[in-house]
Amino acid sequence: MTIASPGVTTVPASHRFIILATVSSATMLYAMAITIANVVLPQMRGALSATPDQVAWVITFNLVATAVMTPVSGWLSNRFGRRNVLLVGCAGFTVASVLCGLADSLGALVFYRVLQGAFGAPLVPVSQTIILDTFPKEQHSMATALWGVGVVMGPIIGPTFGGFIAEEYSWRWVFFMIVPFGIMTFVAISMFIQKRPVRPPSPPLDWLGFFALAAAL
């Protein structure tokens, strides 16, 4: 999903790739969380006394929260600013990851995974929009290809290192391992993503459509 943008911002060439690396790290951060819990479902099932169907909620509800929040990313970025959306999304995602690792029941874990998906959902579309506004049109293919590396590497790094850490320690550490990446990404966004000029007021969110989508999912 790409959010419509009014035009390309004027960014020095030397600064473009720093922005690209920053938003790519945000994308990789979220991509890691989508699949990282898959490798520890058996451990979570035993630790939380859950059935196979119940422990699958840890994956399912995270994806549902992502599907619900992704369509409103454009409205959020227009209303509050892309930089603010990235900062809140990254901070909320990181805190939710800590809470996932501290969860002492299946219900709490599922709830925190919903928060993780909801806060992480805007990171991908907003990051892509920033890239398209940062690079000139003739470099869009190159920039989006490099940005896509984060999308691809996240699901590879997450389960690989998550499985190793879970075997050495416990399933909780697959969520704790995300926290340092989240903190570094938050700092990078604060330093390198600039505020954009104030836009005209955006149209109101279609709340009826939003809740209808959420209910349908």
Side-chain angles (χ1 to χ4, degrees):
M1 174 182 175
T2 303
I3 307 167
S5 59
V8 177
T9 58
T10 303
V11 179
S14 59
H15 194 63
R16 291 173 188 162
F17 288 95
I18 297 176
I19 295 176
L20 176 60
T22 299
V23 296
S24 295
S25 67
T27 303
M28 186 176 70
L29 179 72
Y30 174 68
M32 285 174 57
I34 293 179
T35 56
I36 199 169
N38 294 0
V39 296
V40 292
L41 286 180
Q43 285 191 24
M44 289 190 290
R45 177 188 169 191
L48 301 175
S49 301
T51 66
D53 289 339
Q54 289 173 334
V55 79
W57 295 348
V58 174
I59 306 298
T60 303
F61 277 85
N62 179 265
L63 296 176
V64 170
T66 299
V68 170
M69 290 303 298
T70 298
V72 301
S73 300
W75 181 84
L76 289 173
S77 64
N78 288 333
R79 177 67 176 80
F80 302 103
R82 298 172 186 171
R83 183 175 185 271
N84 291 334
V85 171
L86 285 181
L87 287 172
V88 172
C90 184
F93 179 87
T94 303
V95 172
S97 299
V98 174
L99 295 175
C100 286
L102 297 175
D104 57 0
S105 68
L106 180 63
L109 179 59
V110 171
F111 176 71
Y112 297 143
R113 284 283 286 176
V114 169
L115 293 180
Q116 195 182 47
F119 279 109
L123 296 179
V124 176
V126 174
S127 294
Q128 186 178 11
T129 304
I130 290 175
I131 290 174
L132 296 180
D133 276 1
T134 300
F135 286 83
K137 188 174 181 179
E138 60 271 16
Q139 295 183 350
H140 280 181
S141 297
M142 176 271 295
T144 53
L146 293 175
W147 172 78
V149 172
V151 179
V152 175
M153 292 300 295
I156 296 175
I157 295 174
T160 302
F161 286 92
F164 172 77
I165 291 176
E167 287 294 326
E168 293 295 322
Y169 300 100
S170 74
W171 64 268
R172 299 180 185 277
W173 283 92
V174 302
F175 297 108
F176 293 148
M177 67 173 279
I178 297 175
V179 176
F181 294 100
I183 294 173
M184 289 188 293
T185 301
F186 182 88
V187 173
I189 293 170
S190 302
M191 294 177 59
F192 303 122
I193 304 299
Q194 300 177 351
K195 292 183 179 180
R196 291 175 55 85
V198 178
R199 293 184 175 186
S202 58
L205 178 66
D206 179 11
W207 290 103
L208 177 61
F210 173 73
F211 286 117
L213 172 66
L217 288 172

